Amino acid sequence: MKLTSIIVEDEETSREILKNYLKKYCPNVTVLGEAANVDEALVLIRNHDLDLVFLDVEMPYGNAFDLLDKVGDINFETIFVTAYNHYAIDALNAHASYYLMKPISIDELIKAVDYVTEIKTKEDALQDQILVPKTNMVAGKITIPQLDGFEILNTADILYCKADDNYTEIYLNNNKKKIVSKTLKYFEEALGNSSFSRVHKSYLVNVNEVVKYVKGKGGSVVLSNGKQVMVSASKKSDLLSYFK
């Protein structure tokens, strides 16, 4: 299983060592970015779908626990990497998957990554056991599971989808909302052949319902129902490509 990750560590040398170890000994881990402080880490977390964050405890202008508090709903696993063992209890209380001591042991690093991989594999297996929405062979349709069967939605009726941890809220143009036990990433893939754009870590929008774009670093879009959705800087070009 492939894992997307970032490294949050204020020491450049430590970041390089960990990145090189991962590349050599844990090839299933892709490092999407690096951060040297809480603010940089927040930007990366909000702009990427992450499976795993390697997190140093002590950083300038805040620590690892400040970062996790600011993130709020955490939908990634965390491996703490620190030179201090007295944070272990706090890390456990923060639901850390693993606690690595510096200098990093390669064997322990491999064990930590294997543990997270196992967690993610079990999560996927559990989701596969649940009746989940499927793209329909009929063009422009998607099925949403219900207790007594399933409901068929026209994809054109979907205004946007919003991530809610491991659930997705689907907002329709009749002011109704559906909540489905599947991640937003699933819907991004399921609706990939339709006119839907992932504009933010938490939002997938129907570009046919976009009535206005507001400039900015990432900017924002206004949908036909008046909903304004922020656009991540990293997603901006993908969105604007629909309107060229």
Side-chain angles (χ1 to χ4, degrees), residues 43-240:
V43 172
L44 290 176
I45 289 170
R46 289 169 177 166
N47 288 334
H48 293 287
D49 288 315
L50 299 172
D51 297 310
L52 173 61
V53 172
F54 293 94
L55 186 55
D56 187 17
V57 176
E58 296 191 347
M59 293 174 285
Y61 317 114
N63 61 30
F65 306 106
D66 296 325
L67 171 61
L68 295 176
D69 284 341
K70 290 183 178 181
V71 171
D73 293 331
I74 297 172
N75 56 2
F76 51 80
E77 302 299 321
T78 306
I79 294 177
F80 278 78
V81 185
T82 178
Y84 306 97
N85 59 15
H86 56 270
Y87 290 113
I89 298 299
D90 291 331
L92 183 64
N93 290 334
H95 306 291
S97 298
Y98 216 92
Y99 195 89
L100 289 176
M101 292 293 297
K102 297 178 182 177
I104 297 173
S105 160
I106 293 171
D107 288 341
E108 284 298 308
L109 175 62
I110 294 171
K111 190 185 297 184
V113 170
D114 285 347
Y115 182 68
V116 172
T117 302
E118 183 180 356
I119 290 173
K120 288 296 183 180
T121 301
K122 287 180 177 178
E123 285 179 357
D124 285 355
L126 181 61
Q127 285 192 345
D128 288 342
Q129 292 174 14
I130 304 171
L131 180 61
V132 295
K134 302 291 183 183
T135 48
N136 199 286
M137 292 185 68
V138 179
K141 306 284 186 180
I142 190 168
T143 58
I144 304 297
Q146 296 182 331
L147 291 177
D148 58 350
F150 58 85
E151 181 180 0
I152 301 171
L153 298 181
N154 292 315
T155 56
D157 292 337
I158 300 173
L159 290 173
Y160 66 96
C161 301
K162 179 183 177 183
D164 182 11
D165 202 3
N166 287 324
Y167 291 81
T168 295
E169 299 174 356
I170 301 175
Y171 290 82
L172 305 173
N173 56 18
N174 58 3
N175 293 322
K176 291 185 177 180
K177 178 176 74 172
K178 309 288 182 181
I179 300 177
V180 185
S181 177
K182 203 64 177 175
T183 64
L184 188 61
K185 187 175 183 179
Y186 172 85
F187 282 98
E188 182 182 14
E189 295 173 354
L191 296 168
N193 294 326
S194 304
S195 298
F196 285 81
S197 176
R198 184 70 173 270
V199 298
H200 187 275
K201 179 177 180 288
S202 299
Y203 287 95
L204 178 70
V205 302
N206 184 344
V207 295
N208 290 317
E209 298 294 334
V210 174
V211 297
K212 184 178 180 181
Y213 172 75
V214 181
K215 288 182 179 181
K217 184 176 181 181
S220 63
V221 291
V222 179
L223 302 179
S224 59
N225 68 340
K227 171 71 175 179
Q228 186 165 2
V229 177
M230 297 301 296
V231 178
S232 299
S234 61
K235 305 290 187 182
K236 181 177 177 178
S237 60
D238 290 339
L239 170 70
L240 295 183

